[in-house]
Amino acid sequence: MKHLFIINPTAGKNNYPEKLSSRIREAMTDITDEFEIYLTKAPMDAAEKVRSEAASGHPLRVYACGGDGTLNECANGAVGSPNVAITHYACGSGNDFLRMFGEDAALFSDLKALINGKPYPIDLINVCGRRSINICSLGFDARVGIGVHKYTKNAFISGTLAYVISLLVQFVKGINRPLRIKLNGQELNGEFALVCACNGRYYGGGFNPVPDAEPDDGLMDVLVVKKVSRLRFLTLIGKYSTGRYAELSSHVSHYRCTEISFESADDLSINVDGEAVFSRTPSFRIEPGAVSFIFPENSAFLASRQ
């Protein structure tokens, strides 16, 4: 068995990678298994490292030490390798996937509990070849999120200010876009504000659109938000973000499905666990049990499955 700790060197502050490396070595002191600490060098480097290590065929446990982006890369690297199990040691700016596990989320900050944890198969969503372990979306919220990354490249713009700027820019440009959507044997045509497909429950730093979404049921929970005015959008976003979509049935439709496809005259901005994908004809497809996810010792979620 090999333990591979993937560290995003931009996560945390004040020499955090060095401090975390020391903590890992201490946690592995009494473990006879081989382990490696790897600092990523570029986007998708984590995925390539996991694929490379997985090729040996030997049992491999991967610890994504960073935010949701690092976890997403590790999940993408592990797909198709049954000898690999991944988990999330949360130390990034966003740890949305873990929020769905309630009190268990704190256990993912305990290295020993993770090292002694047990793997359990969970689903992934395939988005044009890029896997999502949590939530993917397209439409207004995806355009805002992708815009934030653009504005934060400016050293004088903070993360909060970048979000405000991106929100205002997209609000002025307009909420809705024309789409053709196919799911569950239906075809929906018209203008839509956004579409959200959930494997997990939280995204965007705290939005909780479908509170009862499950990562192991072989289905996506999909919310389709129809065309709305700017004013109406402002009034419904609060309920949308807190999972009260049932109160918005005139504007929001809920589906449970295994696949959804889209057609657009222009490139669509797609949010995949906070990462950007662009396509005019994207599809979201569930892959049941596609990755083994390590739950820490004493996990209530895992106990409920067993």
Side-chain angles (χ1 to χ4, degrees), residues 100-129:
M100 73 179 298
F101 303 119
E103 293 183 0
D104 276 5
L107 297 176
F108 286 87
S109 295
D110 184 335
L111 277 171
K112 276 290 189 181
L114 284 176
I115 291 167
N116 295 320
K118 295 182 179 180
Y120 176 79
I122 63 172
D123 307 334
L124 297 176
I125 301 174
N126 187 328
V127 184
C128 306

Side-chain angles (χ1 to χ4, degrees), residues 54 122 158 186 194 204 225 228:
I122 63 172
S158 68
Q186 301 180 51
L194 66 90
V225 182
V228 291

Side-chain angles (χ1 to χ4, degrees), residues 166-213:
S166 183
L167 181 65
L168 290 173
V169 168
Q170 293 302 326
F171 198 73
V172 170
K173 287 184 176 180
I175 305 294
N176 311 291
R177 295 291 186 275
L179 281 176
R180 177 180 295 172
I181 304 172
K182 295 180 181 179
L183 79 167
N184 287 348
Q186 301 180 51
E187 184 170 305
L188 311 176
N189 289 285
E191 291 192 29
F192 299 88
L194 66 90
V195 179
C196 175
C198 304
N199 189 47
R201 297 179 186 173
Y202 291 87
Y203 79 124
F207 276 43
N208 180 205
V210 185
D212 55 355

Side-chain angles (χ1 to χ4, degrees), residues 40 98 107 127 186 194 202 232-233 250 257 267 273 287:
T40 57
L98 297 182
L107 297 176
V127 184
Q186 301 180 51
L194 66 90
Y202 291 87
R232 181 57 179 149
F233 186 80
S250 60
C257 61
D267 272 348
D273 295 350
E287 296 182 341

Side-chain angles (χ1 to χ4, degrees), residues 13-235:
K13 298 179 180 179
N14 301 322
N15 299 317
Y16 188 79
E18 290 81 1
K19 294 177 182 178
L20 177 55
S21 296
S22 177
R23 200 178 304 157
I24 292 169
R25 293 188 184 96
E26 181 179 352
M28 293 295 295
T29 299
D30 300 324
I31 308 295
T32 58
D33 295 331
E34 177 187 0
F35 75 95
E36 178 183 354
I37 298 171
Y38 183 82
L39 272 64
T40 57
K41 304 174 180 64
M44 292 305 289
D45 184 40
E48 291 302 319
K49 175 63 174 177
V50 173
R51 287 192 195 100
S52 176
E53 292 292 331
S56 70
H58 299 305
L60 177 69
R61 292 167 72 104
V62 178
Y63 306 80
C65 304
D68 291 303
T70 306
L71 175 62
N72 175 272
E73 290 196 23
C74 290
N76 276 270
V79 168
S81 298
N83 56 312
V84 179
I86 68 169
T87 192
H88 191 189
Y89 180 72
C91 51
S93 58
N95 305 304
D96 284 327
F97 180 66
L98 297 182
R99 293 189 186 199
M100 73 179 298
F101 303 119
E103 293 183 0
D104 276 5
L107 297 176
F108 286 87
S109 295
D110 184 335
L111 277 171
K112 276 290 189 181
L114 284 176
I115 291 167
N116 295 320
K118 295 182 179 180
Y120 176 79
I122 63 172
D123 307 334
L124 297 176
I125 301 174
N126 187 328
V127 184
C128 306
R130 176 81 180 247
R131 271 69 174 191
S132 164
I133 194 171
N134 188 27
I135 290 178
C136 47
S137 63
L138 57 81
F140 183 77
D141 63 337
R143 296 194 300 273
V144 170
I146 291 168
V148 170
H149 292 298
K150 178 175 69 175
Y151 297 120
T152 51
K153 292 178 181 179
N154 187 317
F156 299 101
I157 298 178
S158 68
T160 301
L161 180 58
Y163 181 83
V164 172
I165 293 172
S166 183
L167 181 65
L168 290 173
V169 168
Q170 293 302 326
F171 198 73
V172 170
K173 287 184 176 180
I175 305 294
N176 311 291
R177 295 291 186 275
L179 281 176
R180 177 180 295 172
I181 304 172
K182 295 180 181 179
L183 79 167
N184 287 348
Q186 301 180 51
E187 184 170 305
L188 311 176
N189 289 285
E191 291 192 29
F192 299 88
L194 66 90
V195 179
C196 175
C198 304
N199 189 47
R201 297 179 186 173
Y202 291 87
Y203 79 124
F207 276 43
N208 180 205
V210 185
D212 55 355
E214 297 288 0
D216 60 343
D217 61 359
L219 294 167
M220 295 180 288
D221 280 271
V222 177
L223 295 183
V224 177
V225 182
K226 303 169 188 174
K227 180 180 179 180
V228 291
S229 68
R230 289 181 176 89
L231 180 60
R232 181 57 179 149
F233 186 80
L234 290 176
T235 62

